[in-house]
Amino acid sequence: MTPAKLAEAVLAAARALFAERGLDPAALPASTTVERPRNPEHGDYASTIALQLAKKVGAQPRDLAAGIADHLGRTPGVKSVEIAGPGFLNVRLDTASAGQLARVVVQTGREYGHSDRLAGQRINLEFVSANPTGPVHIGGARWAALGDALARLLRASGAEVGTEYYVNDAGAQIDRFARSLQAAAEGRPVPEDGYAGEYIGQIAAEIKREHPDADERTFRDEGVERMLREIRGSLADFGVPFDLFFRESDLHARGELDLAVARLREQGHVYDADGAIWLRTTDFGDDKDRVLRKSDGEWTYFAADCAYYLDKRERGFERLLMLLGADHHGYIGRMRAMAACFGDRPERTLEILIGQLVNLVKDGEPLRMSKRAGTVVTIEDLVEAIGVDAARYALARFSSDSPIDIDVDLWTRSTRDNPVYYVQYVAARTASVARNAAEVGLTRGEADDFRPELLGHEKEQDLLKALGDYPAIVAAAAELREPHRVARYLEELAGSYHRFYDNCRILPLGDEPIGDLHRARLWLNDATRTVIANGLDLLGVSAPERM
């Protein structure tokens, strides 16, 4: 029995009790959950449903718990139900019911852990969005890993997700980029406010070779195109695709900034002062009003932000989720105020996650410069140092709001203290067990022949409980926007598998005949392989069959 099935049984027992006592069925929730108690002695799973319902119907929690326990105890697969404290329900499953989970996992395969909890939600997920003026740095790599993992999690939970990279190809930073390229091509020093690094000289030489008479406009257009191709390639090599690369210049070309200002003016939040056009964001909690168009006629970046927000909303996205760097913390207030100026409820339509800094560390010292970029560590530097799998796992393993140091020595080590190696080793070991089983003629057999009641060893039961936790972990990681929950879960699951493997022999020893217990344990082995592979896939990390 899966935790989800047990939760359904708990709710069914509550419904039966309500019908029996004539209680108002409207007080019952549409669904409920069960959790593993911290102390295994308290049972396999616990429910607080009696506590939740007591106030609604004016009953004593322990009295409700006793009634629910009576009905729940008659459910096939439930061994016992005990009442604890003020009204907790502690449930124990019989061995066969618990063991059936192995079959469920294997038969469900790649879909195990998926749900429809977020079905109907249309989410636009924007991440990375580094300016096309240089390679993707390690901070952008963190957002690439987190953003792609989050997209996978949201989709696994039933949401419709559009991933998007906003290309800031308009404005002063692009002008500085163009001037830097032109200066490099002409053998002049790069301007003080320009961009440095070997890549500037390389791109400048390419443009000069193909366009001998290139002017600043040519360097601007060609430079952005080349840089954007490199960014696309870097992200593709990192396993991060995007549904759309959206150009800021298209907003300008289509007149969408004018349209956005007109919409905001209709809402009554735009005013003119000192020759400029302003948005009264202070009405919605911003610390100051924001300029949309300066007195010299130039648009501000914030005006483009307004147009981009409106464009996303008019494309049918109900929730806009943005992943931004640590230097964008002040951006949250003005964006929420802007959403409110459009007539939206920011708490429903806009969500901004702020990430913290990343350092690449070697021999205890931070690496601060790229061989090619000159001033930053790039995504290529990170991959070269520890590989794609380790990089993606390391970046997704921590909460986005915590700074992290990625130790090259640790993440390249083939030992248990390297988290990605520890998890991938289980993927490889479970695959190896399956291969070795096939060589000695051991197969799982038909599903109907599976004997789940044989999986009664303490380590088998622990592993089954860990496998049963996976769907709830995926759901929580998606809803809380915390992919690191999956990584930490996988490490716990890996530990449970290792303990199972060390204590419960799967393959027959010597001339020992193949029996039902061997087959049952092979089901459990293969179920673990399924969940490890599914979880790693959500993080964009491979599940190797050999290591």
Side-chain angles (χ1 to χ4, degrees):
M1 181 182 293
T2 67
K5 290 294 183 183
L6 178 58
E8 291 175 7
V10 169
L11 188 55
R15 288 197 194 100
L17 177 67
F18 270 46
E20 181 180 276
R21 297 188 180 181
L23 299 174
D24 183 6
L28 289 164
S31 62
T32 189
T33 59
V34 295
E35 298 179 350
R36 285 172 61 189
R38 292 185 179 180
N39 185 346
E41 294 181 2
H42 293 165
D44 297 322
Y45 295 97
S47 169
T48 59
I49 191 169
L51 296 168
Q52 297 165 12
L53 294 174
K55 287 186 179 180
K56 296 181 180 180
V57 297
Q60 291 297 317
R62 283 188 66 91
D63 179 50
L64 278 183
I68 294 172
D70 181 56
H71 286 278
L72 183 61
R74 305 173 202 170
T75 303
V78 173
K79 182 178 180 180
S80 66
V81 185
E82 299 171 357
I83 304 166
F88 296 102
L89 292 173
N90 290 335
V91 185
R92 286 180 170 81
L93 303 179
D94 64 36
T95 303
S97 180
Q100 287 172 4
L101 179 66
R103 177 168 52 200
V104 170
V105 173
V106 172
Q107 291 181 328
T108 308
R110 290 180 59 86
E111 296 300 308
Y112 181 69
H114 288 209
S115 71
D116 59 359
R117 293 173 72 108
L118 302 182
Q121 293 192 24
R122 291 202 70 212
I123 300 173
N124 180 283
L125 177 57
E126 180 201 338
F127 58 103
V128 184
S129 296
N131 290 338
T133 54
V136 179
H137 57 70
I138 194 171
R142 183 177 196 180
W143 281 132
L146 283 171
D148 187 58
L150 187 51
R152 294 167 186 245
L153 280 163
L154 293 169
R155 288 168 178 152
S157 298
E160 180 182 346
V161 182
T163 57
E164 202 149 310
Y165 185 115
Y166 184 53
V167 182
N168 298 93
D169 60 344
Q173 85 280 0
I174 299 298
D175 294 333
R176 294 198 302 273
F177 180 56
R179 289 195 295 270
S180 301
L181 291 173
Q182 188 172 21
E186 295 173 356
R188 294 184 287 107
V190 171
E192 287 186 11
D193 63 349
Y195 295 88
E198 289 181 9
Y199 77 97
I200 290 292
Q202 292 170 352
I203 295 174
E206 291 173 6
I207 296 173
K208 188 70 173 177
R209 186 166 55 251
E210 295 180 18
H211 304 276
D213 300 322
D215 56 12
E216 184 176 321
R217 179 73 186 188
T218 304
F219 279 106
R220 177 191 180 98
D221 294 344
E222 291 292 323
V224 166
E225 290 305 316
R226 281 170 167 76
M227 201 70 256
L228 190 54
R229 280 200 299 272
E230 179 172 326
I231 289 171
R232 285 176 182 264
S234 297
L235 292 170
D237 291 342
F238 203 49
V240 180
F242 282 88
D243 296 323
L244 178 64
F245 280 78
F246 189 104
R247 291 175 178 261
E248 180 187 353
S249 58
D250 289 342
L251 292 171
H252 290 266
R254 295 194 295 257
E256 291 193 39
L257 279 73
D258 290 296
L259 292 173
V261 171
R263 179 74 62 86
L264 291 166
R265 196 181 288 276
E266 288 172 8
Q267 296 285 340
H269 303 297
V270 170
Y271 66 94
D272 302 291
D274 303 323
I277 301 174
W278 297 71
L279 183 63
R280 192 177 287 106
T281 53
T282 51
D283 284 352
F284 298 99
D286 197 7
D287 59 345
K288 62 182 179 180
D289 291 344
R290 302 291 170 175
V291 178
L292 296 171
R293 196 164 198 166
K294 295 183 285 188
S295 57
D296 63 3
E298 289 291 319
W299 291 106
T300 63
Y301 287 120
F302 186 62
D305 291 335
C306 293
Y308 188 35
Y309 175 89
L310 184 60
D311 184 277
K312 289 178 177 178
R313 294 286 285 126
E314 293 192 335
R315 280 187 272 143
F317 290 107
E318 298 151 357
R319 192 166 189 85
L320 313 184
L321 179 53
M322 305 169 66
L323 279 58
L324 303 177
D327 57 343
H328 285 76
H329 200 277
Y331 196 69
I332 297 175
R334 76 189 71 167
M335 288 296 291
R336 287 178 175 166
M338 175 262 286
C341 287
F342 274 117
D344 286 340
R345 295 179 61 180
E347 68 275 11
R348 292 187 177 181
T349 62
L350 183 64
E351 188 175 351
I352 299 175
L353 301 181
I354 298 295
Q356 294 301 318
L357 301 177
V358 185
N359 288 313
L360 188 62
V361 176
K362 175 70 175 174
D363 298 325
E365 296 293 330
L367 301 178
R368 301 202 179 277
M369 295 180 64
S370 167
K371 298 174 184 175
R372 182 164 177 264
T375 56
V376 294
V377 175
T378 68
I379 191 171
E380 285 83 7
D381 296 324
L382 175 62
V383 170
E384 181 181 350
I386 65 175
V388 171
D389 277 350
R392 291 199 56 158
Y393 192 97
L395 292 167
R397 186 176 181 261
F398 300 91
S399 174
S400 61
D401 59 3
S402 63
I404 55 176
D405 289 333
I406 297 179
D407 188 332
V408 173
D409 299 322
L410 169 66
W411 289 94
T412 54
R413 204 175 291 157
S414 297
T415 56
R416 292 167 67 101
D417 57 344
N418 175 353
V420 70
Y421 178 86
Y422 186 60
V423 174
Q424 287 186 316
Y425 185 77
V426 171
R429 171 169 272 185
T430 52
S432 174
V433 166
R435 288 193 302 271
N436 292 338
E439 289 177 3
V440 299
L442 170 60
T443 67
R444 294 194 305 264
E446 298 298 324
D448 290 342
D449 297 327
F450 173 50
R451 298 280 304 280
E453 71 275 11
L454 298 178
L455 298 176
H457 191 283
E458 177 188 0
K459 302 308 179 185
E460 294 167 339
Q461 289 292 303
D462 288 345
L463 181 54
L464 285 163
K465 290 173 186 175
L467 295 172
D469 288 341
Y470 179 67
I473 293 293
V474 174
E479 292 174 1
L480 298 174
R481 319 312 193 209
E482 295 181 342
H484 69 274
R485 289 174 176 262
V486 175
R488 298 309 176 104
Y489 162 80
L490 290 174
E491 291 163 35
E492 292 178 6
L493 177 61
S496 294
Y497 178 81
H498 285 306
R499 289 186 288 275
F500 156 72
Y501 183 88
D502 291 342
N503 288 274
C504 304
R505 184 169 182 83
I506 302 170
L507 303 180
L509 185 62
D511 295 330
E512 180 186 2
I514 294 172
D516 288 339
L517 179 59
H518 298 116
R519 282 186 280 270
R521 287 176 173 171
L522 186 58
W523 277 93
L524 186 50
N525 175 83
D526 293 356
T528 305
R529 165 78 190 178
T530 297
V531 174
I532 288 284
N534 289 359
L536 286 172
D537 184 66
L538 289 177
L539 302 178
V541 178
S542 69
E545 295 193 355
R546 290 180 170 83
M547 288 183 70

